[in-house]
Structure formats: C-alpha cells, structure tokens
Amino acid sequence: MKQVVILGAGYAGLKVTHELQKKASGDFKITLVNKNSYHYEATDLHEVAAGTQPSEKITYPVADIVDPKVTTFIQDEVTAFDPAKKTVSLKDHDDLTYDYLVVALGFVSETFGIKGAVENALPMTTVEEAEAIHAHILKVMDDYKQTPTPEALNIVIAGAGFTGIELAGALADGRKEYAARAGVNPSDIKISMLDAGTRLLPMFSDKLAEYGVNLVKSLGVDIITDARVQEVAPGKTIYTFGKDEAATPHEISAKTIIWTTGVSGSPLVDAAGLKARRGRVIPTDHLTDADHDDLYIIGDVAAVMPPDGKRPYPTTAQIALGMGKYVADDLASVLKTGKHLENGFVYKSLGTVASVGNTRAFGVAMGHESKGYFASATKKMIANESLYRIGGMKEVLKKGRFDLYH
Ligand SMILES: Cc1cc2nc3c(=O)[nH]c(=O)nc-3n(C[C@H](O)[C@H](O)[C@H](O)COP(=O)(O)OP(=O)(O)OC[C@H]3O[C@@H](n4cnc5c(N)ncnc54)[C@H](O)[C@@H]3O)c2cc1C
C-alpha cells in the first residue's frame, strides 16, 4: 500500500486531498498534516483583522473534507521534512515516512530584515494573527477613551500591495466600530499606507490601478508612495523617500502598525535543502521538485513560470486550487500506472478582483475590467467558487457570501 503524505490543509493541500481520495480503491493511503483542526480562507484574513467578519465565517473543519476510509488527518506542526530519507518530522507525533510527498505549507510574513518589523509591527498571515490585530485595535481605542493620545487613533499599513489595499478598505469600513470604542468621530481615525513603489498594483492596467488607488483615497486613507520603511520602533514607523538610504528620515506615530509588505513560502522548504528562493521552488511541468520526482510542491511554496514569461505567476488561492487539482490527477496516474500525465500543469486565471470594504471592488474577471458593486459581487462569487471547489455545496451554504448587492 503506497503512502501519500500531504503537508498543509490550505487551498492547495486540501484540494489535493479532496480530489485524490475520490480516486482511491484500496491502492494507496493519504495522511494529511495541518497545524490547525480547521482550514481558513486566507483571502479574507483582512476582514477578520478589521473586525468586519468573524473568524468563524472564514474557517471550516478539515474533518468536513477528510474521508476517513482513505485519509488520516493529523493535527500537528510539521517541523521538518527530509527528501533524501523520505521522512517528515512532527512536533507532537512520531516521524512519518512516505512514498509520495505533497508540500503545500503556504506562506509566512516577509519583513526583508527591516529593523524592528518583527517586534513592533503586526503580521496578518494566520487567523490568530488577524484576530490579534482586531483585538489590538479595540484595546488601543479603549485605552484612548481613558487617556487620549493622538497616536492611538492612527493606523499605519506598511505595504500598499493587493493585501494592503484590501486591508485599508476593510479598516475604513471598521472605523465606525473603533470610533465608538474611543468616543470619537469615525473621521478622527487616520489610516495611512506606506509603499516603496510609485506605481501601485502592477497586476492591473494603469487606468484600473489608478481607479483602485483613488477609491481607497476617497475613503480618507492616506497613501504615501516612494516611501521605504527603514525601521519600526514601538509606536513609530520611520521611512525615507526615494532609493537613497541616507535621505532625511520621516516618521509616523501610530499605536497600530500592520505589516503587509509581502510574503514568502514556508521556511521549511529552504530548511529541507530544496533549490528555493524565499521559500519557493520552481517546479517541473508536473509540479514536482526537479531533484525529487516523488515530491510535489504546490501553492504558495511554488513559483510556477508561465510558458512565455520571465516572472512566475503571482501566488494566489486561485492558482493554488488549480495546482491542487492537477496534482491529484497526476499523482493518481503515477500511483496507478507509474507514469505522469502526458500534459503538464496549465494555469487559466478566472481574474483578479480586489475588494475595498464590503461593497466596493475593482479588478478583472473573465477578461473584463470591472468596478464598484458589480466587481464586489464578482469577488464574492469567486470566493464562493473557491469554497465550492474544495468544500462543495455544504461549505458554500454554510460560509458562502450571499450579500452580493449590499
Ligand atoms: C489578506 C489576503 C488577501 C488575499 N486575497 C487573495 C485573492 O483575492 N485572491 C487570491 O487568489 N489569492 C489571494 N490571497 C493569496 C492567497 O491567500 C494565497 O495565495 C493562498 O492562501 C495560498 O494557498 P496555499 O494552500 O499555498 O497556502 P495557505 O492557504 O497558506 O495554507 C497553508 C496551510 O498549511 C498550514 N501550515 C503551514 N505551516 C505548517 C506547519 N509547519 N505545520 C503544519 N501545518 C502548517 C497552514 O496552517 C495552512 O493551513 C490573499 C492573501 C491574503 C493574506
């Protein structure tokens, strides 16, 4: 009996599990390992951080997906994997051995070694971290009511990429709640974003990116571009304009500093000795590691190159789901015939839509640029589609977004 071990129950790992276990006929067993007992929709973490969605709305039990006849679910932390010995080490369980390994360990916050960022800024990569951001904002607002200090009403987002922009929109929606706690007007809550780039949102056309940036600005969010964060001190973000590190430093005082400058793949990928950059491996056409045909590497730990491109596809939930489906098919073929599928992985994007709060969005869906309410409804439908692609109708009915026209 062949043993397949899948690490991570995010979009990629759970999709492989869901699809592969349907193909089992007593010929292989799956072991799925994940830190938490639940899967979370990482694409909605900013809403939990802002407090505009409860965490229960973006999570569901891994057990809902697992077929216990084929798959054993182990809730534990993976501490290492060894491609040469074909073993996986866990924090609280014995080592696992495998015939085939699927590494789908996702992303971690990337601080690029910026001084004080780890200690003094809040990351937003897990449900716990998103909940901690919301709890922090509420505490700061409660403290303000007791002892008013202007920096308590300031929120700084370091990084105005896709995630930062979505977070700014959600925080703008959350202002009413924060202001009520602090006993001030919503407009007294200042949200500022800092980004080293001058042309934000490169995934969109000039016109659409400008629309998105102006939409966020229209909510009273201050976006400071060409601004490199040099240091994060307690309650203070220090930055300089332009590329000259000796330029005059500027600072913003804020009791809430949220870090969204970027993510890298799981550090376990580098630690395993795979040829990786920032935790990401360029996989083969069959999504295996070039040096280990029995090791698939998918989701945010993979940097998949487009056929004619120089830069890898952006890491998204959408491509992670596509890779999950492909690996289930390819691995089933390898397990049953000993051969990979004839065709390699091909990615077709449904589009990219950024939400700016609950009712506004902009982006490209099915080849067309869209804005406003229509884009917002499209974003929710794409999220429902992703729920459906793993959890089926059951999870869509429980967790789906049906407030399409609010
Ligand atoms: C705020 C935000 C908004 C986003 N919006 C979009 C969007 O609109 N559209 C889109 O397509 N993408 C979006 N993304 C990107 C998307 O969320 C990621 O690309 C996607 O989550 C990657 O899926 P994955 O399965 O590779 O990893 P993950 O979803 O990160 O899953 C990895 C899993 O592995 C588990 N894990 C990690 N380390 C260990 C360990 N050591 N031991 C055990 N378990 C472990 C984690 O707990 C998790 O369950 C967004 C991301 C963020 C943060």
Side-chain angles (χ1 to χ4, degrees):
M1 178 84 75
K2 297 281 185 207
Q3 300 296 330
V4 176
V5 174
I6 300 174
L7 308 182
Y11 294 94
L14 211 48
K15 183 70 180 166
V16 181
T17 308
H18 180 56
E19 296 291 334
L20 187 62
Q21 64 191 5
K22 289 193 270 185
K23 300 172 193 283
S25 48
D27 42 352
F28 61 86
K29 283 274 178 202
I30 301 173
T31 303
L32 171 66
V33 187
N34 195 56
K35 241 184 237 174
N36 307 304
S37 61
Y38 57 83
H39 162 84
Y40 62 95
E41 299 282 315
T43 57
D44 293 338
L45 282 174
H46 56 289
E47 296 186 85
V48 174
T52 52
Q53 286 285 341
S55 53
E56 304 82 66
K57 191 77 188 170
I58 73 157
T59 55
Y60 59 86
V62 171
D64 277 8
I65 306 304
V66 166
D67 173 358
K69 290 194 289 299
V70 184
T71 305
T72 305
F73 172 52
I74 301 178
Q75 187 192 339
D76 201 352
E77 184 180 331
V78 179
T79 53
F81 59 92
D82 186 331
K85 292 193 190 136
K86 299 178 69 144
T87 55
V88 174
S89 306
L90 305 179
K91 193 162 162 240
D92 296 323
H93 291 77
D94 291 341
D95 283 8
L96 302 171
T97 53
Y98 63 81
D99 294 298
Y100 296 96
L101 183 67
V102 180
V103 181
L105 289 166
F107 61 92
V108 294
S109 178
E110 173 64 80
T111 56
F112 303 102
I114 292 171
K115 194 173 164 194
V118 171
E119 298 80 2
N120 302 311
L122 301 164
M124 189 183 66
T125 60
T126 63
V127 173
E128 291 82 5
E129 288 172 358
E131 285 179 329
I133 291 173
H134 185 226
H136 172 91
I137 295 174
L138 296 188
K139 173 161 188 332
V140 166
M141 297 300 153
D142 290 345
D143 291 350
Y144 178 90
K145 202 163 188 181
Q146 301 303 317
T147 319
T149 50
E151 61 271 25
L153 303 183
N154 291 350
I155 300 175
V156 165
I157 304 172
F162 191 91
T163 301
I165 290 282
E166 288 204 312
L167 174 64
L171 289 171
D173 275 2
R175 264 195 187 122
K176 258 196 203 154
E177 183 196 22
Y178 321 148
R181 298 284 283 247
V184 299
N185 290 319
S187 58
D188 292 329
I189 312 283
K190 304 274 179 248
I191 304 169
S192 309
M193 307 184 77
L194 293 164
D195 199 283
T198 46
R199 160 62 164 90
L200 302 181
L201 301 169
M203 65 291 282
F204 297 127
S205 69
D206 286 353
K207 227 169 114 194
L208 195 60
E210 191 186 344
Y211 171 87
V213 167
N214 287 336
L215 178 60
V216 175
K217 284 184 178 167
S218 74
L219 304 175
V221 175
D222 191 16
I223 304 184
I224 308 170
T225 56
D226 200 21
R228 281 167 178 69
V229 175
Q230 303 293 355
E231 183 181 345
V232 186
K236 231 185 264 175
T237 310
I238 299 151
Y239 64 96
T240 50
F241 284 110
K243 289 192 175 133
D244 180 5
E245 283 188 21
T248 314
H250 298 255
E251 64 179 55
I252 309 184
S253 294
K255 288 226 169 134
T256 305
I257 305 164
I258 308 171
W259 198 259
T260 61
T261 58
V263 292
S264 39
S266 166
L268 297 187
V269 169
D270 287 312
L274 301 183
K275 288 190 193 100
R277 218 174 134 235
R278 284 174 57 204
R280 293 199 175 108
V281 169
I282 298 179
T284 65
D285 288 354
H286 298 289
L287 303 180
T288 53
D289 178 62
D291 298 325
H292 305 92
D293 197 42
D294 51 12
L295 190 157
Y296 289 84
I297 187 134
I298 58 171
D300 270 30
V301 287
V304 175
M305 302 302 285
D308 51 356
K310 292 194 185 84
R311 301 190 56 170
Y313 288 114
T315 50
T316 62
Q318 243 189 83
I319 194 167
L321 286 168
M323 289 190 227
K325 170 79 175 83
Y326 178 84
V327 166
D329 293 344
D330 192 68
L331 192 42
S333 164
V334 170
L335 284 160
K336 288 176 198 295
T337 68
K339 285 192 190 139
H340 287 289
L341 294 175
E342 213 162 282
N343 296 320
F345 172 66
V346 177
Y347 176 54
K348 274 205 196 90
S349 168
L350 292 173
T352 307
V353 180
S355 63
V356 180
N358 191 37
T359 54
R360 304 164 224 94
F362 62 96
V364 183
M366 282 153 280
H368 298 286
E369 293 197 345
S370 72
K371 299 171 185 166
Y373 284 111
F374 178 70
S376 177
T378 308
K379 171 94 179 173
K380 288 169 190 167
M381 287 183 322
I382 292 177
N384 288 348
E385 160 86 5
S386 122
L387 271 177
Y388 183 74
R389 279 159 73 179
I390 312 183
M393 197 41 85
K394 183 174 153 203
E395 296 306 338
V396 177
L397 292 175
K398 274 203 291 189
K399 311 280 164 152
R401 303 291 293 267
F402 301 113
D403 54 338
L404 299 186
Y405 297 103
H406 290 178

